[in-house]
């Protein structure tokens, strides 16, 4: 993190603006809205700014920059002159005394930046880009302005008034969080937005009186193949409300970052034949956390019910009486084929598609070969590269054409996606020529040829 956002209480606090023109006035408006007592240091001053100054109870120091000005009397200083050199001098003087200082539109001469602000007081949202792009920050502000109801401020104020009562009733902080989350998802929210405060108070009291420690729950969530934008809305919502996230190797870092920041994150590995935590251990872990009353998000690559052992995990939950939900995800076959420009079916080339895994228990793939050599059928292999050579050989031995196209997609849908195209006869050799990283998906079928036209990535 390049900058650290804080929210400053400025009521009745002395602040200084250096400069007396329009830029100074704009900053002064913001500071007085936050309740600061403003002083201005400048040889000249606009009438508007002077009026504001008098309103806030501050002083006008009619003078040029002086190094020995009492800078440290101020909580913060804003240099808002049109002279870059003066702004720099103000910065240096304040830095020497460790007084927070900002120079308008001059990031190198800033200790703090003034963010773009969305004011739903007492809720205030600030957006900052460390001086790299104020326009981008403002655009984001515009987007948020339209999506955050104005009543949010009232809801924050209402919550603040009830906080002590909620804390007194519900001692456990995790449980308290769940109480508030449930409350914000309830009709109470609309009552506050519409100023029906008596009804809101009644609902709040009832919610508190009827509160019971919640039971734990497991969300078995498909995280998709890698691109975070392929997450479902439901996956994202549950990822953000879980207390614990149990994830494996296929879950990409950007997706993990979308989970609730303070959720406990548990890595349970799952590299091929080298499970960091064996499946039985994972099953037991899910049950254990849920029995502690936690909301557990079991996050899995792709779709949990496609070669994901999701079924085994929820069988165990079912046996232990732990409630669960299953959220489907975009499976690797869908994600990789879409991002590689290879439709899995096409009226001219394939009327069926078959998903297979080569991860068989003995380590060597034994598949129903003769069922796999139909024309007009696409095969999708969920497995690493081990066994690929044997699969190609067996398909040819069982009658498939050696020139049947094959595509290997590595790290599909991520910025590192790589696609290697060949045929049953030569794909294994091509693999050794290219540096291909796990995970990889193999697509076999005439549809692979369509990539020449449909490649869009
Ligand atoms: N449940 C997952 C599959 C787990 S099996 C799903 O529905 O996608 C693991 C195999 O999935 C890997 O060996 C690889 O063949 C495939 N796979 C998963 N994500 C992938 C990705 N981003 N790119 C390529 N292959 C992937």
């Amino acid at each position: 993190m390049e900058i650290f956002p804080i929210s400053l209480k400025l009521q009745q606090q002395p602040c200084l603006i250096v400069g007396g023109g329009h830029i100074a006035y704009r900053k002064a408006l913001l500071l007085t809205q936050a309740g600061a007592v403003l002083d201005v240091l400048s040889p000249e001053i606009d009438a508007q700014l002077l009026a504001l100054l008098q309103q806030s109870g501050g002083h006008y120091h009619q003078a040029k920059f002086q190094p020995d000005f009492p800078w440290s009397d101020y909580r913060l200083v804003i240099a808002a002159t049109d002279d870059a050199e003066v702004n720099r001098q103000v910065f240096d003087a304040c830095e020497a005394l460790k007084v927070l200082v900002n120079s308008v539109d001059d990031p190198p001469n800033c200790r703090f930046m003034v963010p773009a602000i969305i004011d739903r007081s007492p809720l205030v949202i600030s957006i900052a880009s460390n001086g790299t792009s104020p326009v981008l920050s403002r655009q984001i502000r515009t987007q948020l302005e339209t999506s955050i109801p104005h009543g949010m401020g009232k809801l924050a104020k209402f919550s603040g008034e009830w906080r002590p009562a909620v804390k007194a009733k519900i001692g456990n902080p995790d449980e308290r969080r769940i109480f508030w989350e449930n409350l914000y998802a309830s009709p109470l929210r609309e009552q506050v937005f519409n100023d029906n405060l008596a009804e809101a108070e009644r609902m709040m009291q009832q919610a508190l009186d009827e509160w019971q420690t919640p039971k734990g729950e497991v969300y078995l969530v498909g995280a998709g193949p890698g691109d975070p934008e392929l997450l479902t809305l439901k996956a994202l919502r549950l990822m953000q409300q879980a207390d614990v996230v149990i994830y494996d190797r296929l879950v990409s870092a950007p997706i993990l970052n979308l989970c609730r920041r303070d959720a406990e994150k548990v890595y349970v590995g799952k590299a091929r034949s080298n499970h960091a935590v064996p499946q039985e251990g994972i099953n037991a872990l899910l049950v254990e956390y849920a029995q502690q009353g936690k909301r557990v998000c079991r996050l899995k690559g792709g779709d949990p019910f496609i070669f994901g052992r999701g079924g085994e995990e929820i069988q165990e939950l079912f046996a232990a009486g732990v409630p669960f939900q299953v959220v489907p995800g975009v499976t690797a076959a869908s994600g990789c084929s879409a991002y590689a420009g290879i439709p899995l079916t096409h009226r001219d080339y394939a009327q069926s598609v078959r998903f297979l895994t080569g991860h068989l228990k003995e380590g060597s793939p034994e598949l129903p070969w003769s069922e796999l050599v139909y024309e007009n059928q696409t095969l999708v292999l969920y497995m690493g590269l081990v066994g690929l050579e044997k699969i190609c050989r067996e398909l040819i031995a069982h009658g498939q054409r050696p020139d049947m196209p094959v595509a290997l997609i590595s790290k599909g849908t991520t910025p590192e996606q790589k696609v290697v195209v060949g045929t049953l006869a030569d794909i294994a050799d091509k693999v050794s020529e290219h540096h291909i990283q796990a995970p990889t998906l193999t697509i076999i079928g005439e549809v692979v040829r369509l990539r020449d036209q449909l490649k869009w990535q």
Side-chain angles (χ1 to χ4, degrees):
M1 203 158 46
E2 289 183 15
I3 44 174
F4 183 71
I6 56 170
S7 306
L8 216 51
K9 286 187 189 175
L10 281 184
Q11 279 83 8
Q12 298 305 317
Q13 297 304 303
C15 298
L16 177 73
I17 295 200
V18 185
H22 184 64
I23 311 170
Y25 174 69
R26 275 190 1 234
K27 297 297 165 195
L29 261 183
L30 276 179
L31 287 178
T32 48
Q33 274 167 19
V37 178
L38 270 193
D39 283 6
V40 168
L41 170 67
S42 170
E44 289 117 37
I45 190 165
D46 282 2
Q48 255 184 329
L49 179 57
L50 188 62
L52 197 64
L53 194 70
Q54 284 158 352
Q55 226 175 304
S56 91
H59 295 291
Y60 171 37
H61 301 273
Q62 187 165 22
K64 287 188 158 181
F65 168 84
Q66 313 142 24
D68 57 351
F69 191 78
W71 307 103
S72 53
D73 287 356
Y74 298 96
R75 285 285 186 191
L76 59 86
V77 173
I78 296 184
T81 76
D82 51 8
D83 183 335
E85 181 52 23
V86 173
N87 289 351
R88 196 192 53 75
Q89 286 173 325
V90 173
F91 175 75
D92 288 345
C94 292
E95 278 287 275
L97 296 165
K98 303 224 172 352
V99 173
L100 285 176
V101 57
N102 166 277
S103 303
V104 178
D105 276 341
D106 185 7
N109 289 320
C110 284
R111 175 56 49 196
F112 76 92
M113 254 73 62
V114 180
I117 294 167
I118 298 161
D119 187 3
R120 302 279 188 277
S121 285
L123 184 76
V124 177
I125 301 165
S126 56
I127 302 145
S129 64
N130 196 9
T132 55
S133 177
V135 176
L136 196 62
S137 302
R138 269 177 241 139
Q139 262 186 14
I140 295 170
R141 177 183 60 191
T142 308
Q143 285 169 10
L144 291 177
E145 277 285 4
T146 52
S147 62
I148 299 174
H150 277 265
M152 278 300 181
K154 291 187 247 176
L155 191 58
K157 181 164 177 285
F158 181 90
S159 307
E161 287 158 6
W162 278 87
R163 248 186 111 179
V166 173
K167 205 166 179 180
K169 164 93 187 198
I170 308 171
N172 178 315
D174 283 340
E175 208 179 311
R176 230 164 26 233
R177 190 170 31 71
I178 297 172
F179 174 83
W180 286 114
E181 282 172 4
N182 291 352
L183 200 76
Y184 294 145
S186 79
L188 175 136
R189 186 178 138 116
E190 288 298 319
Q191 299 295 351
V192 176
F193 285 180
N194 295 331
D195 287 317
N196 296 332
L197 290 184
E199 177 58 9
E201 300 275 344
R202 192 197 60 73
M203 290 167 100
M204 182 73 188
Q205 192 58 57
Q206 185 180 355
L208 260 189
D209 292 344
E210 292 174 359
W211 178 252
Q212 281 178 350
T213 301
K215 280 180 86 178
E217 194 183 356
V218 175
Y219 318 130
L220 181 61
V221 175
D227 181 350
E229 292 202 278
L230 295 180
L231 281 171
T232 61
L233 296 177
K234 190 164 187 179
L236 189 62
R237 181 170 61 78
L238 296 180
M239 282 157 64
Q240 292 188 343
Q241 73 175 34
D243 305 302
V244 185
V245 178
I246 299 185
Y247 67 101
D248 49 48
R249 196 178 52 99
L250 282 175
V251 176
S252 70
I255 288 181
L256 203 61
N257 282 339
L258 292 173
C259 294
R260 215 180 87 217
R261 195 190 315 224
D262 54 347
E264 183 182 345
K265 317 259 175 14
V266 185
Y267 175 70
V268 288
K270 248 180 183 267
R272 212 180 70 86
S273 67
N274 177 25
H275 294 182
V277 177
Q279 189 64 47
E280 305 71 49
I282 298 175
N283 300 350
L285 209 61
L286 294 177
V287 172
E288 201 179 297
Y289 275 118
Q291 283 175 342
Q292 290 168 15
K294 301 218 156 110
R295 292 171 303 179
V296 186
C297 175
R298 171 67 174 116
L299 200 55
K300 294 170 102 62
D303 181 280
F305 279 2
I306 296 183
F307 306 128
R309 303 187 77 171
E312 294 166 47
E313 293 177 8
I314 57 177
Q315 273 172 325
E316 189 95 1
L317 296 173
F318 180 78
V322 172
F324 56 84
Q325 309 182 35
V326 184
V327 182
V330 172
T331 190
S334 298
C336 296
S337 68
Y339 280 51
I342 303 173
L344 294 178
T345 66
H346 185 286
R347 280 199 300 178
D348 297 336
Y349 303 103
Q351 282 76 48
S352 69
V353 55
R354 196 157 172 158
F355 295 173
L356 304 151
T357 181
H359 291 166
L360 294 193
K361 284 197 173 141
E362 301 75 29
S364 163
E366 272 316 328
L367 294 164
W369 304 111
S370 48
E371 285 179 25
L372 306 183
V373 293
Y374 289 123
E375 283 295 326
N376 301 333
Q377 173 174 251
T378 306
L379 301 180
V380 182
L381 301 175
Y382 282 74
M383 52 168 226
L385 296 174
V386 183
L388 179 68
E389 193 184 348
K390 168 168 175 170
I391 288 176
C392 294
R393 210 177 341 110
E394 291 284 357
L395 288 175
I396 294 171
H398 284 79
Q400 190 52 281
R401 286 181 284 114
D403 65 353
M404 178 58 84
V406 181
L408 275 182
I409 301 151
S410 136
K411 297 196 164 183
T413 80
T414 73
E416 295 120 68
Q417 170 172 302
K418 245 188 192 176
V419 182
V420 178
V421 176
T423 62
L424 279 182
D426 67 13
I427 194 75
D429 289 339
K430 286 199 170 176
V431 167
S432 41
E433 284 165 27
H434 294 79
H435 180 60
I436 294 180
Q437 288 179 313
T440 53
L441 188 89
T442 308
I443 301 178
I444 304 175
E446 286 296 335
V447 285
V448 169
R449 292 189 203 282
L450 290 164
R451 175 171 155 81
D452 286 342
Q453 291 166 33
L454 305 183
K455 177 179 170 201
W456 57 275
Q457 278 273 63

